[in-house]
């Protein structure tokens, strides 16, 4: 595999901690070969070496100090020193950066992604070399970021992920919360505190994020709102925030959620009241028509103008077997609910075929005849959609 090829997208078993440490050790060796000895791990790999147990890291995150070059230059430096590293272009053509992969084995192909950063990005502080911690795993002895700034950076990652536009980044918040809770417990047990070299700006921004983090858990039903604070005493114990401030933030969130809950309840009650005012006679006429068996005419909702006759009566009027309708005009995205069982099976088969073709296109192995087949399937879906929507309109007359 040359340095331009992308690692295989075929599903493979998850990486082990030993494999992640192998990639990290190779990256540190490549940096030392080029005269850059001061670097350390952070992120989930560093959390695992500090003692995090709930999951295995998926990649390597390392920060390089005093290198006098940017991240892309550092990636090229690592790749030139060890042929097991690959530089691959991003899947998104708008991204100009390269992605660094470490080859663990060629048969079966296994790779580990290596992210390289420098201080200043993502609020990463400059860590004096004497404060870098050495942790051992298997036969490796790796430099790791101290636990206190590592925790603050994990909190920054959670904040970035939850506000991200991309769905795959927002999904990471579940792992972030578990990571933070476990690392926070370790920090309290080891009596970690902010050192003098930790920037005050990092501690201040972390304190602001903690105020949102502690009020994260809430449970809302139709009758009440409950908020369970997250580990207020632990954050206070390591000196990141103040007990009174965090308690006040939790109470403020309870007030906000309760107000929103009351607004929803009022809107729901108003909606039911409008429906009761507009439709009582219609509902009675539907019941009367269904009981007498008269299917010559179909009652219509006075609120929507839509046919709300009983399901069996609607089917007799249209001559088409369709699922029962609610007493409202179907939305544009509800058309697939009107498919017959045979049409539904055909649609599922089309979608399975389209999924396989899209995967073929994504990896760049699509043949011309497959592209034609994909267009035909798309046209079939479009025509079926038009046909069903026409049926919906006729049914609502």
């Amino acid at each position: 595999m040359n340095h331009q090829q992308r690692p295989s997208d075929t599903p493979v078993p998850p990486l082990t901690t030993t494999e992640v440490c192998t990639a990290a050790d190779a990256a540190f060796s490549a940096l030392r070969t080029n005269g850059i000895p001061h670097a350390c791990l952070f992120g989930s790999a560093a959390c695992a070496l500090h003692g995090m147990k709930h999951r295995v890291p998926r990649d390597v995150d390392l920060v390089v100090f005093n290198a006098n070059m940017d991240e892309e230059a550092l990636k090229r430096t690592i790749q030139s020193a060890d042929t097991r590293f690959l530089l691959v272009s991003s899947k998104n053509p708008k991204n100009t950066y390269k992605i660094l992969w470490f080859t663990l084995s060629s048969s079966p192909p296994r790779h580990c992604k290596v992210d390289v950063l420098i201080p200043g990005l993502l609020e990463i502080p400059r860590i004096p070399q004497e404060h870098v911690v050495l942790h051992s795993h298997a036969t490796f002895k790796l430099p790791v970021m101290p636990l206190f700034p590592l925790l603050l950076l994990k909190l920054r990652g959670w904040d970035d992920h939850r506000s991200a536009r991309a769905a795959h980044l927002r999904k990471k918040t579940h792992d972030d919360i578990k990571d933070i809770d476990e690392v926070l417990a370790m920090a309290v047990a080891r009596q970690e505190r902010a050192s003098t070299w930790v920037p005050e700006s990092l501690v201040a921004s972390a304190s602001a994020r903690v105020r949102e983090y502690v009020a994260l858990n809430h449970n809302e039903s139709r009758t009440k709102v409950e908020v369970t604070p997250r580990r207020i005493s632990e954050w206070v114990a390591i000196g990141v925030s103040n007990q009174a401030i965090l308690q006040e933030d939790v109470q403020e969130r309870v007030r906000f959620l309760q107000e929103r809950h009351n607004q929803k309840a009022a809107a729901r009650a108003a909606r039911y009241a409008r429906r009761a005012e507009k439709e009582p006679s219609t509902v009675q006429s539907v019941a009367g028509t269904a009981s007498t068996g008269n299917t010559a005419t179909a009652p219509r909702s006075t609120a929507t103008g839509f046919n709300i006759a009983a399901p069996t009566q609607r089917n007799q009027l249209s001559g088409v077997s369709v699922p029962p309708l609610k007493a409202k005009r179907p939305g544009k995205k509800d058309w697939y609910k009107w498919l017959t069982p045979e049409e539904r099976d055909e649609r599922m088969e089309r979608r399975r075929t389209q999924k396989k073709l899209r995967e073929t296109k994504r990896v760049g192995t699509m043949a011309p005849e497959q592209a034609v087949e994909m267009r035909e399937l798309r046209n079939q879906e479009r025509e079926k959609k038009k046909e069903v929507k026409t049926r919906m309109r006729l049914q609502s007359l």
Side-chain angles (χ1 to χ4, degrees), residues 201-212:
S201 59
L202 176 60
V203 179
S205 60
S207 179
R209 294 185 184 106
V210 166
R211 296 176 66 175
E212 299 185 25

Side-chain angles (χ1 to χ4, degrees), residues 192-396:
E192 293 283 339
R193 296 293 187 278
S195 303
T196 55
W197 53 266
V198 178
E200 292 182 2
S201 59
L202 176 60
V203 179
S205 60
S207 179
R209 294 185 184 106
V210 166
R211 296 176 66 175
E212 299 185 25
Y213 186 82
V214 295
L216 193 64
N217 280 3
H218 74 274
N219 182 30
E220 184 174 355
S221 66
R222 289 205 170 195
T223 58
K224 61 181 178 179
V225 176
E226 295 178 346
V227 174
T228 307
R230 294 189 71 87
R231 301 178 179 271
I232 287 182
S233 59
E234 284 92 335
W235 290 110
V236 174
I238 62 173
V240 175
S241 191
N242 179 277
Q243 177 93 16
I245 293 176
L246 295 183
Q247 292 286 6
E248 183 181 347
D249 289 332
V250 171
Q251 293 171 5
E252 179 62 30
R253 182 163 181 81
V254 170
R255 286 193 292 270
F256 166 75
L257 292 172
Q258 189 63 54
E259 182 180 351
R260 189 180 68 176
H261 173 81
N262 294 339
Q263 291 174 351
K264 288 182 179 178
R268 190 161 55 243
R271 192 162 57 247
Y272 291 157
R274 287 195 299 269
R275 188 180 304 171
E277 290 175 0
K278 293 182 178 180
E279 299 191 359
S281 59
T282 307
V283 174
Q284 293 174 2
S285 65
V286 172
T289 305
S291 61
T292 57
N294 182 12
T295 60
T297 60
R300 301 166 67 86
S301 166
T302 57
T304 62
F306 184 65
N307 179 357
I308 61 168
T312 54
Q313 183 184 354
R314 279 202 312 273
N315 296 346
Q316 292 172 357
L317 289 170
S318 62
V320 179
S321 177
V322 296
L325 250 84
K326 296 180 181 179
K328 63 178 183 179
R329 185 176 296 280
K332 293 182 179 179
K333 295 182 180 179
D334 293 339
W335 67 273
Y336 56 88
K337 298 178 182 177
W338 286 67
L339 294 172
T340 62
E342 295 78 11
E343 291 172 332
R344 195 174 292 115
D345 292 341
E346 291 175 3
R347 184 171 186 256
M348 292 303 297
E349 183 61 33
R350 271 199 309 272
R351 288 173 67 85
R352 280 192 289 267
T353 307
Q354 285 177 312
K355 185 177 180 180
K356 293 178 182 178
L357 292 173
R358 279 196 298 269
E359 181 65 19
T360 305
K361 183 178 180 180
R362 189 174 68 85
V363 299
T365 58
M366 175 173 278
E369 57 271 16
Q370 289 177 315
V372 173
E373 182 183 3
M374 193 171 183
R375 284 195 297 272
E376 289 178 351
L377 290 171
R378 201 158 43 230
N379 290 335
Q380 289 175 12
E381 184 80 357
R382 193 177 294 117
E383 291 301 321
K384 177 57 68 175
K385 189 174 181 180
K386 289 181 181 178
E387 176 188 336
V388 175
K389 284 193 172 185
T390 301
R391 184 190 308 165
M392 290 165 61
R393 285 193 294 271
L394 292 173
Q395 187 76 3
S396 64

Side-chain angles (χ1 to χ4, degrees), residues 147 151 178-192 231 234-235 238:
L147 194 59
L151 173 60
K178 293 178 181 178
D179 292 353
I180 291 169
D181 285 348
E182 190 168 353
V183 175
L184 176 60
M186 289 191 291
V188 173
R190 300 173 192 179
Q191 298 182 352
E192 293 283 339
R231 301 178 179 271
E234 284 92 335
W235 290 110
I238 62 173

Side-chain angles (χ1 to χ4, degrees), residues 26-37 77 80-82:
F28 288 128
S29 299
L31 289 170
R32 286 193 295 268
T33 301
N34 287 274
I36 308 174
T77 300
S80 63
D82 191 335

